[in-house]
Amino acid sequence: MDRLVIEGGFRLKGEVTVSGAKNSVLPVLAATLLTDDTCVIKDVPNLRDTNTMLKILRSLGKQVEYHKGIVTVSSNKCLNFVADYKLVSTMRASFCVLGPLLGRFRKARVSLPGGCVIGLRPVDLHIKGIRSLGAEVRVEGGYVIAEARRLRGSRMYLGGAFGSSVLATDNVMMAAVMAKGKTVIEAAACEPEVTDLADFLIKMGARIKGHGTPIIEIEGVDKLHGAIHKIIPDRIEAGTMMIAALITGGDLTIKNVLFQHQGALLDKLEEAGAIIKRFDSSLRVTRKGRLKPINVTTLPYPGFPTDMQAQIMSLMSITAGISVITEKIFPDRFMHVAELNRMGAHIQREGPHAIVEGVKGLSGAQVMASDLRASASLLLAGLAAKGKTSVSRIYHLERGYENIEKKIIELGGNIWREKE
Ligand code: EPZ
């Protein structure tokens, strides 16, 4: 396994271009199961997770080519309907093949994804939604087995104890687009990645209204055809780069950004004192003097994204004063706290809250990545820390950030890879 070594103290300056959104490309690739026609997906980031999804599509009988950010998916033989444990267990998001397999073939056998360090990751809302469409669903031997003679549209409420569910909304939408009649999803997730999936489904011939709002209406159709689609920019990579600019006292122009997707984050960064200039599809991020402490609570979109919680914690760990960060989506998503404290941060966990007392500076240390966004927060802390930080288990980082070392080196950061 590799580890990343970061020598801190370099201000990041210049321009960086954000890649396509990981959390959009995964369900969009799954949606290609809904047709035998050829689909062309552009701006596909070369990530561990993307390549896992391409493997799953191939295991289900799809022909897949991936070249220079463009994925072409077509069918070369009848599909099988089993997404097996060894692939699904490496990436929870693979569970979103359940909806399209059921929608297209009326049967699916998908391994339960299991939990991960950020939480139990239940799928009860996914099952509730497809049952509401008339599927028989049972859990056997670690697999969700779903079958339906015919899927019928229905009205359903998909909100859970922690609010809406992104992938449950995706799964139900991909099953409902070929169900008979009308489906109404109440408490649907409003994330831009859900909207991007709906836009792709509409290009395939689906009839969807209300995507991006809590009420999505779908009129089932008999058949879907191939389509060409460009993935939206990754708002979490963009946010991570904004914090890289601020934590190093640098000056970054971040290109390929839809700042209308960044409302909550921009609001909090400006409250902390960041200077953010907005252009058509890019942002320039700097700061003048010291930042101020802020309180952050993660919520479903358009609230502050849970996927930016670890990263903003790194920034607040060296911002004088007390910042309170409350995690309402995944209350256990604090694996990065202990590692940041190893670097000299003063963070105390109180249930779903992290009390961050800003310190003058962090010192480089050996730290361990535990999940995708925790590894991003450790990399950010390393950029600001005095001395060298080595982050082990960086396969977590490779799941969601395309060419992150190259991008940071080009911005003047000092980062390299070593064998563990
Ligand atoms: C998506 O995960 C994202 N992943 C996550 O990003 C993101 O953190 C999450 O949405 C929340 O925004 C992808 O899109 C591939 P949820 P998802 O269902 O859909 C609970 C990253 O770092 N819940 O919206 O799996 C759940 O436990 C990843 O890029 C149920 O209770 O998350 C959580 O508390 C991490 N029952 C809340 O809902 C269910 O059936 C939101 O989870 C499903 C979810």
Side-chain angles (χ1 to χ4, degrees), residues 22-23 26 92-93 118 121-126 162 164-167 191 306-307 329-330 333 372-373:
K22 166 182 86 82
N23 291 349
L26 297 174
R92 189 184 180 287
I118 67 173
R121 312 301 295 271
V123 291
D124 57 305
L125 296 173
H126 300 243
F162 298 93
S164 49
S165 163
V166 171
L167 289 178
E191 273 70 3
T306 172
D307 292 348
I329 308 292
F330 295 108
R333 192 175 200 170
L372 169 56
R373 306 305 172 183

Side-chain angles (χ1 to χ4, degrees), residues 200-252:
F200 176 55
L201 291 167
I202 290 166
K203 285 178 188 170
M204 294 174 79
R207 294 168 59 194
I208 302 172
K209 278 192 314 192
H211 40 300
T213 78
I215 309 273
I216 297 180
E217 296 186 5
I218 299 157
E219 281 293 345
V221 294
D222 293 334
K223 197 168 166 24
L224 294 178
H225 51 72
I228 297 173
H229 187 69
K230 183 172 178 291
I231 297 293
I232 56 170
D234 193 315
R235 61 192 167 101
I236 305 301
E237 182 193 1
T240 305
M241 286 300 176
M242 290 180 216
I243 294 191
L246 296 169
I247 207 167
T248 60
D251 179 348
L252 284 191

